């Protein structure tokens, strides 16, 4: 599964990125994958390759390109609890600087780039994201209702922008929450807001999980939950992008 290193023109410069896709010369549905706060690293390449192997062109941008190419900060091979505070002390200024305005401007550039790639088929695309990337996926889908047919977010703060954002969604949605992030009561309130906005969705707490459960290079990793994530994500993409 080839991986291409790319540079995407944006309003603020060029975002470094990579794309994974089947090496057969065909065109494939496009998927914009937003990394978690730790950014591009080997585990993201593995996940992009896994998804591309199911017949998708998967684009993964460096969210923090304004601060330098990925990896923007030096990361250990395993992000354990003992190093997490020091890593987050470096990351939080980057996350805070990535405002909603910057995120939406970048989303325009990423989706425009996807639409022009010769390996990407015509038709709608999907966005998926992890942790802060889940919120970015939500914002992207809401800002591009005619282009984004599927949205999936995992252990992400998807409700922080409030229910008005949900009303802009036309994509089919799956939200996979960490048990450590979401109480059943909070899940009920979130799902009621999605219902009120008329969103087609599934939204569930993955049992026995803490924040970051999809990422195999962290102490939060839960292999059963990662498989559940694929079991939800792949049928969603198959339903919504079959004609792309």
């Amino acid at each position: 599964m080839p991986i291409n290193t790319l540079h995407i023109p944006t309003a603020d410069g060029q975002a470094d990125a990579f794309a994974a896709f089947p090496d057969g010369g065909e065109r494939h549905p496009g998927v914009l994958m937003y990394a978690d706060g730790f950014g591009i690293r080997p585990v993201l390449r593995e996940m992009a390759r896994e998804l591309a192997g199911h017949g998708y062109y998967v684009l993964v941008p460096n969210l923090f390109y304004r601060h330098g190419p990925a990896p923007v900060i030096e990361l250990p091979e395993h992000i354990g609890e003992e190093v997490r505070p020091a890593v987050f002390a470096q990351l939080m200024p980057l996350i805070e600087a990535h405002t909603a305005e910057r995120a939406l401007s970048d989303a325009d550039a990423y989706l425009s780039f996807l639409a022009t790639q010769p390996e990407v088929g015509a038709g709608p695309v999907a966005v998926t994201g992890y942790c802060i990337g889940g919120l970015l996926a939500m914002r992207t889908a809401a800002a591009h209702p005619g282009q984004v047919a599927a949205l999936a977010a995992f252990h992400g703060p998807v409700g922080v922008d409030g229910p008005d954002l949900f009303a802009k969604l036309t994509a089919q949605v799956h939200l996979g929450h960490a048990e450590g992030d979401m109480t059943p009561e909070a899940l009920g309130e979130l799902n009621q807001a999605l219902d009120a906005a008329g969103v087609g969705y599934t939204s569930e707490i993955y049992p026995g999980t803490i924040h970051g459960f999809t990422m195999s290079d962290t102490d939060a990793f839960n292999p059963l939950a990662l498989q559940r994530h694929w079991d939800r994500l792949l049928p969603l993409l198959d339903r919504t992008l079959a004609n792309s």
Side-chain angles (χ1 to χ4, degrees):
M1 198 66 57
I3 280 190
N4 284 1
T5 300
L6 304 165
H7 291 87
I8 302 173
T10 74
D12 291 329
Q14 285 202 332
D16 54 305
F18 74 86
F21 51 92
D23 189 17
E26 302 94 354
R27 291 158 72 90
H28 304 280
V31 179
L32 173 59
M33 177 186 284
Y34 286 114
D36 62 355
F38 295 124
I40 291 177
R41 58 198 193 282
V43 68
L44 264 297
R45 291 184 174 86
E46 292 169 14
M47 294 176 77
R49 275 198 181 103
E50 173 78 17
L51 183 52
H54 292 274
Y56 299 100
Y57 180 103
V58 184
L59 178 66
V60 186
N62 171 19
L63 306 181
F64 308 127
Y65 70 88
R66 293 174 179 85
H67 305 274
V72 179
I73 70 166
E74 188 174 346
L75 291 171
E77 285 187 20
H78 184 82
I79 307 168
E81 289 306 312
E82 71 283 356
V83 300
R84 196 179 182 94
V87 170
F88 262 104
Q90 294 178 272
L91 283 173
M92 282 311 297
L94 310 185
I95 293 171
E96 290 168 356
H98 197 61
T99 61
E101 291 75 19
R102 283 183 167 184
L104 291 174
S105 175
D106 288 347
D108 292 346
Y110 301 151
L111 292 181
S112 294
F113 182 87
L114 261 182
T116 63
Q117 297 314 291
E119 302 88 359
V120 178
V125 301
V127 290
T128 183
Y130 304 88
C131 180
I132 186 65
L135 174 60
L136 300 180
M138 178 75 74
R139 288 172 172 168
T140 300
H144 297 270
Q147 191 172 0
V148 176
L151 158 65
F154 302 92
H155 48 83
V158 293
V160 300
D161 287 347
D164 288 349
L165 192 70
F166 302 154
K168 301 175 184 177
L169 293 172
T170 59
Q172 293 293 305
V173 176
H174 174 71
L175 306 177
H177 311 286
E179 193 172 76
D181 289 342
M182 180 79 71
T183 65
E185 293 77 18
L187 177 68
E189 292 174 4
L190 174 66
N191 291 353
Q192 285 179 1
L194 291 165
D195 286 333
V199 177
Y201 73 95
T202 56
S203 172
E204 61 182 325
I205 294 170
Y206 285 25
T209 56
I210 60 175
H211 184 76
F213 58 78
T214 57
M215 297 297 157
S216 62
D217 60 352
T218 73
D219 286 351
F221 180 55
N222 183 315
L224 292 177
L226 176 62
Q227 185 56 52
R228 188 186 189 105
H229 140 282
W230 290 121
D231 291 343
R232 300 295 191 267
L233 176 60
L234 293 173
L236 172 68
L237 300 186
D238 186 56
R239 290 195 309 271
T240 54
L241 302 184
N243 296 321
S244 292

